[in-house]
Amino acid sequence: MPYKISVRGLVHQYYNRHTKETVLALKDISFDVNAGEFVTIVGPSGCGKSTLLSLIAGLRKPSAGEILVDGVAVSGPGVDRGMVFQEFAILPWRTVQQNIGHGLEIQKVSKEKRDSVIARYVEMVGLQGFENKYPYELSGGMKQRVAVARTLAANPKVVLMDEPLAALDAQTRVTLREEILRISLEAACTILFVTHSVDEAVFLGDRVVILSRHPGEVKEIVTIPSSREERRYPSIHENQRFEEIKHHVFQSIRQEVEMADETTMRVE
Amino acid sequence: MAATLEAASAKPKAIKLTPDGSSLWERLFFAVGPYLFLILLWEGLRRLLHADASTMPSLWSAVEAIGRVAANGILPDYIFHSLERITVAGSISVVIGVSVGITIGLNATAAALFLPVIRYFNSLAGIAWLPLFLIWFGFNDKTIILSISYNLFFPVVFNTIIGIRTVPKVFRQGVLTLGGSWRDVVFGVMLPGALPNVISGIRLGVAYGWRALIASEMLLGLGGIGYMIFKAQANDLTDRILAGMLLIGILWSLMDYLILQPLEEATIRRWGLVRR
Ligand SMILES: Nc1ncnc2c1ncn2[C@@H]1O[C@H](COP(=O)(O)OP(=O)(O)OP(=O)(O)O)[C@@H](O)[C@H]1O
Ligand SMILES: [Mg+2]
């Protein structure tokens, strides 16, 4: 069986037309993701995580290398790969429910069907009572939840999430992690999830991809031994193995950040 | 410490943040205050310079003149002419201006081809075209409407282009990852995203068009408020000139206040671009 996603020798260089400078964001990334797998991606700020996701989404063309989804090379964005952006990207002139239902609207799903899906996702992300509000009336965390719901409601086979829980309070974040875990098991989609939180990466992932400092390379891939069904907060923290893996991932990233500081003299 | 606690628990005095929240008197002051000042200035100058009524008529005589032209039926007819012209010209220019603006905003080739030309023509005031328009179309309503349309066109085009270009890229990308086609992007993202700027452009454009309307009405003699002023000059009716000038301002303010401004504010507020 082919991999759901294959990333082969991916290189990406940004070119600034005005300064004529190039920035190497990703240098030789390769990894594979199985169908139904939940892969989390961690790495120092600026190492190219967002770049990697936008390449897989087909929003940019790689400078070299290729990305296969179901064995077919990615040539552009498509409904099979949904993405939750670091900057939310929900539309300010659409209400909460219009944003959440946007993907279904594009797919020309009937109004009744759409409304029932919207209602389900509104409840899932805890936005009942805000259905008819516009994004400017929402807090940062609420906007982020709309963005997550919007992507999931379109029911993509591959879900790319770029720090979707970053702006939330601790309690909501934990709730949504459990929700996302549940959805991932229910919807049988494949998820690539970028995060800065080691706890989150280890709690959610079947595997954790650790990227090196800028320019990004795969430093290490850590397999999480337990199955996703078994994970719950807060009992997970009592699991000795879970804490050990977290410690390991944490050290691995810290090493990169420290080395990045030494090479660029920049304090993150 | 005790004092601050006491102060904090005392009934808080309402803090006025916006004119909306202020008293009727204050609002009245901000609405008429500036005009009151101008009226006093005009009347003051008249007395100071000992100006006679045929050079600097009193504002009251201008108001009386408005009453006269209103009563003899000239005024409603002229106002109707002027409003009809700005409406027709506005519709033409908004349709063409928005379409051209969208094309240029979306397409780099179109921008490279047409933008320099549009900038060039923008520098030619609409009134400079009037002699040519007269030769082509004659002393005709077409000439007036074309002249208004010309002036109205540029602010609409430029603002539409800015509107299209400043729609955040990530909005487009978001819709593409929802499976959207270019159609969904253009009609679902670019157009609504550009709307607040488009409407600001229309508001500015109508203001420019209104000026062109008055100028060309003066020259063509086909009725309208501009013509009323011009004819009054020929007959030494200074109070009627002043009346016409007052009316131009009042009509514009009404149009802006009743139609354009609410439209602009509604979109801007709903789009969440300005938080007051
Ligand atoms: N549009 C762009 N043009 C030029 N350089 C860019 C652009 N976007 C990102 N970069 C550069 O590419 C590198 C990777 O950026 P990217 O946004 O992918 O990092 P990231 O890992 O997502 O960081 P963070 O964790 O802070 O979100 C950075 O050095 C950044 O400066
Ligand atoms: Mg990022």
Side-chain angles (χ1 to χ4, degrees):
Chain A
M1 197 177 97
Y3 292 113
K4 186 71 193 176
I5 306 169
S6 276
V7 176
R8 301 273 159 78
L10 203 62
V11 177
H12 193 70
Q13 206 164 32
Y14 283 106
Y15 176 69
N16 186 326
R17 241 180 301 162
H18 303 290
T19 61
K20 305 250 188 288
E21 277 171 26
T22 55
V23 178
L24 185 61
L26 294 174
K27 116 180 180 198
D28 194 18
I29 301 260
S30 298
F31 64 92
D32 298 304
V33 181
N34 291 308
E37 205 179 5
F38 199 130
V39 171
T40 51
I41 301 171
V42 291
S45 180
C47 73
K49 303 182 293 295
S50 298
T51 307
L52 176 61
L53 288 198
S54 65
L55 288 168
I56 297 173
L59 296 169
R60 299 178 194 287
K61 300 238 174 303
S63 311
E66 63 174 354
I67 298 159
L68 306 176
V69 173
D70 289 321
V72 181
V74 166
S75 60
V79 69
D80 59 324
R81 283 154 290 132
M83 178 151 171
V84 182
F85 293 81
Q86 201 168 1
E87 311 89 337
F88 317 150
I90 55 174
L91 301 176
W93 52 85
R94 283 179 167 257
T95 61
V96 166
Q97 52 179 348
Q98 286 169 343
N99 265 298
I100 295 177
H102 200 174
L104 299 172
E105 221 175 278
I106 287 170
Q107 292 167 29
K108 306 222 160 44
V109 172
S110 73
K111 175 109 174 62
E112 299 94 71
K113 177 87 196 305
R114 215 160 66 207
D115 286 345
S116 80
V117 175
I118 290 169
R120 210 173 75 227
Y121 279 96
V122 163
E123 200 189 325
M124 184 184 297
V125 295
L127 286 173
Q128 301 98 314
F130 292 91
E131 291 92 339
N132 293 313
K133 296 263 186 261
Y134 286 94
Y136 75 92
E137 300 170 282
L138 307 179
S139 71
M142 291 160 96
K143 284 184 215 168
Q144 214 163 26
R145 283 181 271 159
V146 175
V148 171
R150 174 178 85 158
T151 299
L152 294 176
N155 196 23
K157 290 281 153 292
V158 172
V159 184
L160 308 164
M161 298 204 203
D162 200 350
E163 302 188 33
L165 309 182
L168 303 178
D169 63 276
Q171 188 50 50
T172 317
R173 192 178 305 153
V174 164
T175 314
L176 272 179
R177 279 179 197 167
E178 288 176 339
E179 276 301 334
I180 287 176
L181 212 53
R182 199 178 56 71
I183 296 161
S184 74
L185 294 165
E186 251 175 38
C189 51
T190 307
I191 301 183
L192 276 182
F193 189 105
V194 167
T195 176
H196 267 129
S197 157
V198 172
D199 188 68
E200 189 163 282
V202 176
F203 177 74
L204 291 174
D206 294 318
R207 287 186 295 155
V208 180
V209 173
I210 305 171
L211 295 184
S212 71
R213 65 190 182 278
H214 170 89
E217 273 182 294
V218 177
K219 185 189 183 200
E220 191 183 349
I221 298 181
V222 178
T223 304
I224 312 297
S226 75
S227 87
R228 267 182 278 153
E229 284 91 337
E230 301 161 3
R231 302 177 202 169
R232 291 282 180 288
Y233 279 111
S235 59
I236 189 90
H237 288 300
E238 289 152 23
N239 184 327
Q240 191 58 36
R241 189 84 189 93
F242 179 77
E243 292 301 315
E244 277 169 26
I245 294 171
K246 254 172 65 178
H247 184 72
H248 173 80
V249 174
F250 185 75
Q251 288 302 331
S252 188
I253 300 171
R254 199 162 84 170
Q255 209 178 16
E256 288 303 313
V257 173
E258 279 168 2
M259 280 159 79
D261 285 348
E262 276 165 29
T263 49
T264 65
M265 299 296 285
R266 209 178 72 204
V267 183
E268 293 285 352
Chain B
M1 193 62 210
T4 35
L5 272 180
E6 208 172 299
S9 61
K11 191 163 174 274
K13 200 165 173 268
I15 299 166
K16 289 164 199 148
L17 294 173
T18 62
D20 290 348
S22 55
S23 74
L24 189 66
W25 288 115
E26 270 176 84
R27 267 190 287 171
L28 206 63
F29 174 77
F30 283 109
V32 289
Y35 295 104
L36 211 60
F37 172 75
L38 290 175
I39 291 170
L40 290 176
L41 191 69
W42 176 266
E43 292 299 327
L45 274 175
R46 279 185 62 229
R47 299 225 154 94
L48 204 71
L49 302 170
H50 301 291
D52 65 283
S54 62
T55 357
M56 262 181 103
S58 75
L59 283 168
W60 178 243
S61 65
V63 172
E64 280 178 332
I66 294 179
R68 278 197 302 278
V69 280
N72 69 16
I74 298 177
L75 188 63
D77 189 43
Y78 280 4
I79 288 180
F80 176 77
H81 272 312
S82 295
L83 291 182
E84 190 186 23
R85 285 167 183 152
I86 191 99
T87 309
V88 173
S91 313
I92 296 172
S93 280
V94 167
V95 170
I96 300 178
V98 171
S99 316
V100 171
I102 289 169
T103 313
I104 290 178
L106 289 175
N107 187 318
T109 316
L113 273 175
F114 299 124
L115 213 46
V117 185
I118 291 177
R119 290 215 180 91
Y120 173 82
F121 282 108
N122 184 33
S123 74
L124 290 175
I127 204 83
W129 281 92
L130 215 51
L132 258 190
F133 289 165
L134 277 172
I135 292 172
W136 291 341
F137 302 105
F139 282 77
N140 200 314
D141 242 13
K142 272 189 217 147
T143 304
I144 298 181
I145 286 171
L146 204 61
S147 159
I148 305 167
S149 304
Y150 187 90
N151 284 277
L152 224 153
F153 174 75
F154 296 97
V156 175
V157 172
F158 288 127
N159 278 277
T160 305
I161 295 173
I162 291 175
I164 295 278
R165 287 190 176 163
T166 50
V167 173
K169 193 173 177 189
V170 75
F171 288 177
R172 266 178 284 163
Q173 297 183 323
V175 169
L176 289 173
T177 62
L178 289 173
S181 60
W182 70 267
R183 227 169 231 286
D184 294 310
V185 171
V186 171
F187 292 101
V189 182
M190 304 313 283
L191 294 193
L195 196 60
N197 276 293
V198 171
I199 292 186
S200 301
I202 292 174
R203 190 176 169 201
L204 193 62
V206 174
Y208 287 8
W210 186 245
R211 292 194 225 162
L213 167 85
I214 302 301
S216 42
E217 277 179 349
M218 283 179 144
L219 293 177
L220 267 82
L222 294 167
I225 305 287
Y227 177 63
M228 188 178 92
I229 299 180
F230 200 68
K231 207 174 59 177
Q233 188 269 331
N235 298 324
D236 273 338
L237 293 168
T238 329
D239 53 353
R240 196 180 281 192
I241 297 180
L242 196 61
M245 290 172 71
L246 286 177
L247 280 171
I248 291 168
I250 292 170
L251 279 179
W252 163 252
S253 302
L254 283 179
M255 257 196 306
D256 195 53
Y257 184 76
L258 295 178
I259 304 171
L260 299 169
Q261 202 180 331
L263 201 64
E264 186 179 21
E265 274 178 14
T267 40
I268 288 181
R269 193 174 315 122
R270 178 163 152 203
W271 268 225
L273 296 176
V274 185
R275 268 177 254 191
R276 280 165 224 260

